[in-house]
Every structure is written in C-alpha cells, then in structure tokens.
Amino acid sequence: MRGKAVSGKVIMVLCLASFLAGSLITSRTWSTSHNKLGELSPDYDHKRRLVEGKAEDIMGEVSKTHKAIQSLEKTISNLEMELAVSRMSKSDVGDVALRKPQSSNHTLQKAFAVIGINTAFSSRKRRDSVRATWMPTGEKLRKLEREKGIVMRFVIGHSATAGGVLDKALDKEEAEYKDFLRLNHVEGYHQLSTKTRLYFSTAVSIWDADFYVKVDDDVHVNMGMLATTLAQYRAKPRVYIGCMKSGPVLTQKGEKYHEPEYWKFGEDGNKYFRHATGQIYGISKDLATYISINSPILHRFANEDVSLGSWMIGLEVEHVDDLSMCCGTPPDCEWKAQAGNVCVASFDWSCSGVCESVEKMKFVHESCGEGDGAIWKAEI
C-alpha cells in the first residue's frame, strides 16, 4: 500500500466491518458469561441460604469441635502423666524411690469418682449418721459402683498399737458394712496432711477414676448434685474444685489452726494463698496421680487443706470456686433447695462441720436433701 492513497469509501467499509465484528464478539461473550452466571447462581443461592438458614448448625459444629479439642487435651495430659509415672518408677530422688502407684500386673478398677469420707476411731456414731442419711449401704453401695461408677469409702488408718482394741473394733465394723479404705497410716489429728496425701496415693493405686473427692464425716452431701457438678469438668485435664478461701495465717501457739511455719507466708498479718476449704474438695485424675508420684517430696503444712492448696498452687491447674459446696445448715440450704438451687454440701462454719452432727444430720438431710433417687438420675 506504500505510495498509494486509500479512498474514503474503503476506510468507511473497513470501519463498518470492524464495528460489526466487534459487536458480534461482544454479544457472544456476554451471552456466554450470562449463561455461566446463570449456572452458578443456584449454587451461590444455596450456599447463601445454608449460611443464613442454618447458622445454629454451624455453631453446633463449632461446639463439637471445641469439645473434641478439650477431650484431646485431656487424653494428651493423661498420656503425659502415664509417661511420667513410667519414668519416675525407674528414678530416685535423694534417698527416696518414687515408685509407680500400682504394679504392672495390677488392673485398676474403672470409676467416675472416688469419694473418700475422712473419719477417725472415735467417730463410729458419725459414720452411722452418714450411713442413715446420704450414703448408701450394702447392695445399694455396690450398685452405685456398678451402675454409676461412684465409689464411696470411709478413709482411716490404724492405731499407734496396730492390732489393738481400736483396730479390732474397726475390723468388726468393716466386716459388717464393707465400706472402708484402710490406709497404712497412724491416725492422729496432727497427721491429717499425711493422711490426705496417702489417701490420694492409695486411691489412684486401686481405682482409675476421673475424680477423687475428700469429705469429712460430719458434712452433709447430696451425692446427685456432687456427681452432676463433677461431670461438668470431665473434659478438663486438671481441675481442683471446692469452696476457695484465703484465711489469715495464725502465728500464735495454742490457736486451733496455728501454723508453725507461718514465716514462710511473709509478714505478720498475711493470708494464705487461695485453697479449697477442707470440709469437702475434689481433684481430677491427673492431679491425684501427680500427688501419688511426688508424694515423698510434697511438703506438709499443719493444716491439710493448706497442704493440698500448696501442692496445686505451682501447677497448671484450674481452680473452681463452687459455693454450692459450702452451704450452711437449715435454714440456708433449705431456702436454696426450695428455690431450686440444691446444695452439694452443707455444714456450719462455726463447727467446721454440721454442729452436733450425730443428732442433727438426719434433720439436715430431711430439710436439704435432694431425694433418695437423685443420684440414680444424675447424668454423668
């Protein structure tokens, strides 16, 4: 075309042809895009409706995933603890061997919770008052173990003269009721921290439970509420549950709860760290196993609830402050029961238990009890 002029008609024809070609291509492209959008829109609408119409299902899946994660965390924690048991069974600390709580050929009895009722040789009437109210006896006690996985035992050691009159009387009582856990321990008020430590160590060597509970024999307990409360924390790996308090460190000799090692808690007037009151508390399996493994080197303070609190304070533990575990006796627990807030445990702070429990336990049970069938209906 070099050197030749292009006529105006040719230019017009070329422009028109280009326009028509462009229009045709654009039309086909738009038609194809429209068809594709038409094909995608039903799926898009379906997904949008799924999100908008079933939000609660998504939240349900999120909740299930969260529970699965919690369960996995607990499983991992259990495996870590079992590994620690295995390692510690082969090692020594100082002159004390830390042995596995059970021999390798011993099969543990599976349980949901072990309830250890702390008692003494002089407390036969207290035990009878508990058996007559909130603790099942005989076949009902065995049925509770089989069907609900709840083990209940009075916890006691032996007298200073093993095999003496006191021990023989207890042997006779045990033969009648079969509801004791006997410890290799010399009974004594100033040995409660040692007894508590030994209770957990002994319990984990017999029962593979989710929870281990300690309760005094002058406290009223609603077993159904206790089981339901514990079940809420079943997926948690390390739980320490009770009525948390932080009382003053008593420095004067002669006081009931005098702390000889008061200087360890700082200046005069200081308070203890948070710990569960001693009338009733519970710990999860990992924590009881920890106590069993490290028993020889766990320090014991004068007060057993402080001792347990000190064993927990440096660990990665969830402290659960549950005020239903420290209700007062009637009318307090009675009013709460009438309002639908049945208490886990009731006692009088002034007596550190139910005052005159032998005579009063039945009255507390009738006023604040949950009903004999509650434990069988508890969802655990």
Side-chain angles (χ1 to χ4, degrees):
M1 297 295 292
R2 184 179 299 175
K4 294 184 178 181
V6 180
S7 66
K9 290 182 179 181
V10 174
I11 293 173
M12 288 296 294
V13 170
L14 289 174
C15 288
L16 181 60
S18 299
F19 174 76
L20 291 174
S23 298
L24 180 62
I25 293 171
T26 302
S27 177
R28 289 182 177 178
T29 303
W30 170 253
S31 176
T32 302
S33 300
H34 180 71
N35 289 338
K36 288 183 178 180
L37 286 172
E39 292 173 0
L40 290 173
S41 60
D43 184 55
Y44 171 77
D45 290 341
H46 171 71
K47 291 180 179 178
R48 178 178 56 79
R49 288 194 298 270
L50 181 64
V51 172
E52 293 177 353
K54 296 184 178 181
E56 65 277 5
D57 291 341
I58 295 174
M59 293 305 297
E61 291 301 319
V62 171
S63 178
K64 289 179 181 178
T65 302
H66 179 65
K67 290 181 179 179
I69 292 173
Q70 284 187 326
S71 178
L72 182 60
E73 287 178 345
K74 183 173 182 180
T75 300
I76 293 173
S77 179
N78 287 341
L79 291 173
E80 289 175 342
M81 190 59 69
E82 290 176 7
L83 179 60
V85 170
S86 178
R87 286 173 175 171
M88 295 300 287
S89 66
K90 300 176 182 179
S91 64
D92 295 331
V93 177
D95 296 326
V96 184
L98 301 185
R99 291 178 293 276
K100 210 173 180 179
Q102 68 275 349
S103 60
S104 57
N105 61 352
H106 175 63
T107 302
L108 299 183
Q109 302 174 40
K110 186 63 182 176
F112 167 65
V114 176
I115 316 297
I117 307 170
N118 201 33
T119 192
F121 287 106
S122 60
S123 299
R124 171 62 192 264
K125 290 184 178 180
R126 283 188 179 183
R127 292 192 290 274
D128 286 341
S129 70
V130 169
R131 293 182 181 118
T133 52
W134 58 268
M135 178 182 180
T137 58
E139 179 54 30
K140 288 185 178 180
L141 187 64
R142 308 292 170 253
K143 182 180 178 182
L144 189 63
E145 293 182 26
R146 292 193 306 268
E147 298 186 8
K148 306 298 285 188
I150 297 177
V151 178
M152 301 177 69
R153 296 288 189 274
F154 286 107
V155 180
I156 194 169
H158 57 79
S159 65
T161 55
V165 176
L166 294 176
D167 296 292
K168 289 180 179 178
L170 200 65
D171 290 340
K172 184 178 180 180
E173 186 180 350
E174 182 178 12
E176 179 180 358
Y177 291 102
K178 296 180 174 60
D179 57 5
F180 282 93
L181 174 62
R182 306 287 286 272
L183 305 178
N184 184 18
H185 166 74
V186 178
E187 284 292 315
Y189 179 78
H190 297 292
Q191 296 297 320
L192 290 179
S193 292
T194 301
K195 183 176 181 179
T196 298
R197 189 182 65 176
L198 188 56
Y199 157 60
F200 287 119
S201 299
T202 304
V204 298
S205 72
I206 302 173
W207 295 282
D208 177 17
D210 292 319
F211 297 97
Y212 299 83
V213 178
K214 176 262 178 181
V215 57
D216 289 339
D217 61 6
D218 57 351
V219 171
H220 180 269
V221 179
N222 282 316
M223 287 301 303
M225 284 303 301
L226 175 60
T228 300
T229 299
L230 293 175
Q232 297 176 27
Y233 303 96
R234 203 169 191 173
K236 302 279 188 176
R238 293 172 297 277
V239 176
Y240 173 34
I241 182 170
C243 287
M244 299 295 164
K245 67 175 184 177
S246 180
V249 180
L250 302 181
T251 61
Q252 297 298 317
K253 290 184 178 180
E255 292 180 295
K256 184 177 182 180
Y257 299 112
H258 168 62
E259 178 58 70
E261 296 181 273
Y262 61 88
W263 60 272
K264 290 185 177 180
F265 298 92
E267 303 301 324
D268 288 348
N270 278 3
K271 293 184 176 182
Y272 288 114
F273 39 75
R274 287 282 174 183
H275 62 280
T277 187
Q279 286 84 352
I280 179 173
Y281 50 73
I283 58 177
S284 54
K285 175 183 176 180
D286 280 11
L287 299 180
T289 305
Y290 169 84
I291 292 173
S292 177
I293 294 171
N294 298 286
S295 181
I297 58 172
L298 292 178
H299 186 71
R300 292 156 291 166
F301 289 101
N303 303 301
E304 57 100 7
D305 54 352
V306 172
S307 293
L308 180 67
S310 71
W311 304 337
M312 301 293 105
I313 199 69
L315 304 179
E316 194 64 43
V317 173
E318 180 174 350
H319 287 59
V320 178
D321 185 14
D322 191 332
L323 297 181
S324 71
M325 297 180 74
C326 54
C327 295
T329 54
D332 178 49
C333 58
E334 187 174 18
W335 290 341
K336 291 175 180 176
Q338 291 173 357
N341 301 316
V342 179
C343 294
V344 172
S346 300
F347 56 88
D348 299 302
W349 285 105
S350 60
C351 301
S352 297
V354 176
C355 294
E356 300 177 350
S357 64
V358 173
E359 296 79 14
K360 196 177 176 182
M361 188 66 75
K362 185 177 180 181
F363 166 67
V364 176
H365 187 65
E366 291 174 347
S367 302
C368 305
E370 61 190 350
D372 294 337
I375 183 59
W376 307 105
K377 298 176 183 177
E379 297 182 2
I380 58 176

